[in-house]
Amino acid sequence: MARWFGTHSFFLVALAGGVFLRWTAVLGYPGVLWFTGDSYFYLGRALRPHPSPSKTLGYSFLLNLMEPLHSLTAVAVVQHLMGLAVAVMIYLLLRRAGLPGWAATLVTLPVLYDAYQIELEHLLMSEALFTFLIAAGVTLLLWRTRTGPTWWLALPAGLLLGYAVLVRSAGAPLIPVILVCLLLRRRGWRAGVAFGAAAAVPIVSYMAWFHSVQGSYGLTNSDGLYLWGRTAVFADCAKIRPPMHEDGLCLTPELKKEGYAPGHLIWRGEAPPRVIFESTVTPEANKVLRDFAIRAMLAQPGDYLRTVADGVGKAFSPDRFPYPTAATEALYHFPADPQVFPGGKSWGGGDSALLDAMTYGRTSTPSRVVQPHAGKMIDYQRDRYLPGPVLGVIFAVGAAGTLLAPRLRRTVLLAWATAVTLLVFPIASADFDYRYVLPATPFACLAAGLFLAALGGAVSRWWGSRGARRRDSDPATAP
């Protein structure tokens, strides 16, 4: 036992620090933190499960499962444990790949100590569960780091990744991306088939449930609205030449001059989709909005790529922007005061968001701030986070590993492709949001760490072979 603790002492100390920070957050903010709109929606659907045309309900299923505990604090604790588990999985994978304990620990520090990561885990939001499910699936796929996964490891990995898509539909591109990575391996078709078939089970089941209520097969009817917002900021109807029934979806010069971010524009009452359609999440409206967005991308590919590149640039920037709005970005900071719930409004079919929170947590105060613990987390968050340029370097190291990592190239590729997909797809299909960057970070760190492990192994083999040649050439040691 003493030898085991000695082997992993660096990581155990770092893990203890991560536990301490999260426990401080729990003490400072009993219950959870609330993200305006989304948190109310997830909780309302947990109390009244019903397929929604706007969001998938994988996260609400977890909240529904935990509802008998009647504790919002329990939800926060479970999400913090998920965050810690992601760091543990990264560490174990890197040690299996041959990285020394101190180096593997260093790679996990952004997951354990980033203040925004800890705050996101404390929010009643889907990202903690989403990241944990993907990390668990990727861990199974990479557990046999050199030979690749067997079909019986790929099977549960597929189920986990398939369910992750139900938690956040932005995870859908991961299924084909990972499937391609598996098929690139020698004799990887068995693992690929097992992974793809297993991933389809939760997704197809949800689509059947969605059809039984909404009348169409899908996960949501909202992807068209998000795509419209992504393209509306640059769309020029003179270049697109849309059909007559789509012509009104181009922004007026006055609205375009306002400069709204896509993630904010889609919620504005004066936005064309909300003026034209009675509901933007019907199958018909969704089809029209998606068609308009695709026409804009094809007619103006340069403008589309520039908007996506601008979003990716924000993720790697040394500055933190009040984007998509200052109010939204402020929700990613530990608050100094209890949060105020909107009166008389519900996002999940109940009487009000406040009543849902009180009912679920059996509490009259679902938002509390306790000093001095809250103040410690506020102070900690001022400068204890992963800077954008450092994140860019981590992504660059992982990218180098996909080309240069000896013996582990395909392993690095799967981790790095996961990180890139999680970062780029939400930006390309909706908008940049700091909440979308954090789930990509652990996998970028994993890819970089795997590359370092591969380099370390190559150097060790080279040094060992060099020493062997010296011994063979030395007359005193030659046989």
Side-chain angles (χ1 to χ4, degrees):
M1 183 63 71
R3 182 179 178 183
W4 184 87
F5 277 103
T7 302
H8 304 291
S9 57
F10 286 105
F11 180 71
L12 292 174
V13 171
L15 183 65
V19 171
F20 174 76
L21 287 171
R22 286 159 174 82
W23 184 243
T24 303
V26 171
L27 294 176
Y29 302 93
V32 295
L33 295 174
W34 301 87
F35 190 91
T36 304
D38 288 27
S39 296
Y40 311 147
F41 168 87
Y42 286 126
L43 192 62
R45 293 288 174 162
L47 294 171
R48 294 167 293 276
H50 187 77
S52 167
S54 60
K55 293 182 186 296
T56 51
L57 302 187
Y59 179 58
S60 292
F61 294 158
L62 173 66
L63 297 179
N64 179 268
L65 185 66
M66 297 184 64
E67 194 269 339
L69 298 176
H70 298 304
S71 173
L72 292 166
T73 299
V75 174
V77 170
V78 166
Q79 293 184 172
H80 284 310
L81 290 175
M82 289 177 181
L84 294 169
V86 170
V88 171
M89 287 185 274
I90 293 173
Y91 175 78
L92 292 176
L93 285 173
L94 294 179
R95 292 307 308 271
R96 284 181 64 83
L99 201 63
W102 66 268
T105 301
L106 188 65
V107 173
T108 66
L109 294 185
V111 180
L112 289 172
Y113 287 94
D114 188 299
Y116 289 101
Q117 185 75 45
I118 298 171
E119 199 271 351
L120 188 61
E121 293 168 11
H122 210 77
L123 279 167
L124 192 80
M125 290 291 283
S126 61
E127 274 69 25
L129 175 61
F130 180 67
T131 308
F132 170 78
L133 290 170
I134 297 173
V138 168
T139 298
L140 290 172
L141 294 174
L142 299 184
W143 192 247
R144 295 160 61 95
T145 53
R146 300 190 186 278
T147 60
T150 59
W151 70 266
W152 47 267
L153 283 174
L155 195 70
L159 289 172
L160 289 166
L161 268 294
Y163 187 74
V165 174
L166 306 186
V167 175
R168 275 196 63 202
S169 57
L174 280 178
I175 305 300
V177 167
I178 291 178
L179 184 58
V180 169
C181 291
L182 293 176
L183 294 176
L184 286 175
R185 284 185 174 274
R186 186 180 179 185
R187 299 174 184 173
W189 68 268
R190 291 180 181 176
V193 169
F195 173 82
V201 171
I203 296 174
V204 172
S205 300
Y206 189 92
M207 291 174 68
W209 183 49
F210 187 86
H211 175 266
S212 68
V213 176
Q214 301 294 339
S216 61
Y217 288 101
L219 297 176
T220 68
N221 286 330
S222 60
D223 59 289
L225 178 63
Y226 288 102
L227 278 173
W228 174 86
R230 173 74 283 174
T231 58
V233 292
F234 64 79
D236 184 347
C237 276
K239 297 178 180 179
I240 301 171
R241 297 180 182 177
M244 187 177 299
H245 68 284
E246 295 180 10
D247 192 59
L249 291 174
C250 279
L251 296 182
T252 63
E254 294 77 19
L255 195 54
K256 188 171 287 190
K257 191 182 297 184
E258 294 291 338
Y260 294 124
H264 178 59
L265 174 64
I266 60 174
W267 306 112
R268 301 287 303 183
E270 65 270 31
R274 300 199 174 273
V275 175
I276 295 172
F277 302 109
E278 184 177 349
S279 172
T280 59
V281 290
T282 62
E284 296 76 18
N286 193 48
K287 182 179 178 180
V288 171
L289 292 169
R290 188 195 304 121
D291 183 73
F292 176 87
I294 293 173
R295 289 175 185 274
M297 294 176 194
L298 295 176
Q300 300 174 253
D303 293 325
Y304 173 65
L305 292 176
R306 274 191 291 272
T307 61
V308 175
D310 179 69
V312 175
K314 285 183 172 65
F316 299 146
S317 172
D319 301 316
R320 190 171 177 96
F321 304 95
Y323 193 93
T325 67
T328 299
E329 198 276 331
L331 293 171
Y332 304 134
H333 296 256
F334 286 104
D337 302 303
Q339 294 169 278
V340 178
F341 285 74
K345 187 175 181 180
S346 171
W347 277 254
D351 293 327
S352 71
L354 177 59
L355 184 59
D356 283 348
M358 294 169 64
T359 301
Y360 186 94
R362 293 292 194 271
T363 176
S364 59
T365 53
S367 179
R368 296 170 56 198
V369 176
V370 178
Q371 298 296 352
H373 310 291
K376 292 178 181 178
M377 294 309 301
I378 293 172
D379 292 339
Y380 179 82
Q381 194 173 19
R382 287 196 178 100
D383 54 7
R384 304 298 200 282
Y385 59 89
L386 187 68
V390 177
L391 179 63
V393 170
I394 293 172
F395 266 89
V397 172
T402 64
L403 301 173
L404 305 174
R407 298 191 181 187
L408 289 178
R409 186 176 297 112
R410 291 182 179 86
T411 301
V412 177
L413 175 62
L414 193 148
W416 186 77
T418 299
V420 171
T421 303
L422 290 174
L423 175 67
V424 175
F425 180 76
I427 297 173
S429 60
D431 194 6
F432 170 81
D433 193 307
Y434 287 102
R435 176 163 52 97
Y436 301 155
V437 177
L438 291 173
T441 302
F443 304 99
C445 292
L446 175 60
L450 289 170
F451 179 36
L452 295 178
L455 286 181
V459 170
S460 297
R461 287 190 296 274
W462 174 80
W463 189 260
S465 63
R466 187 168 180 264
R469 288 195 300 270
R470 284 182 174 178
R471 287 192 299 271
D472 290 343
S473 62
D474 187 348
T477 59

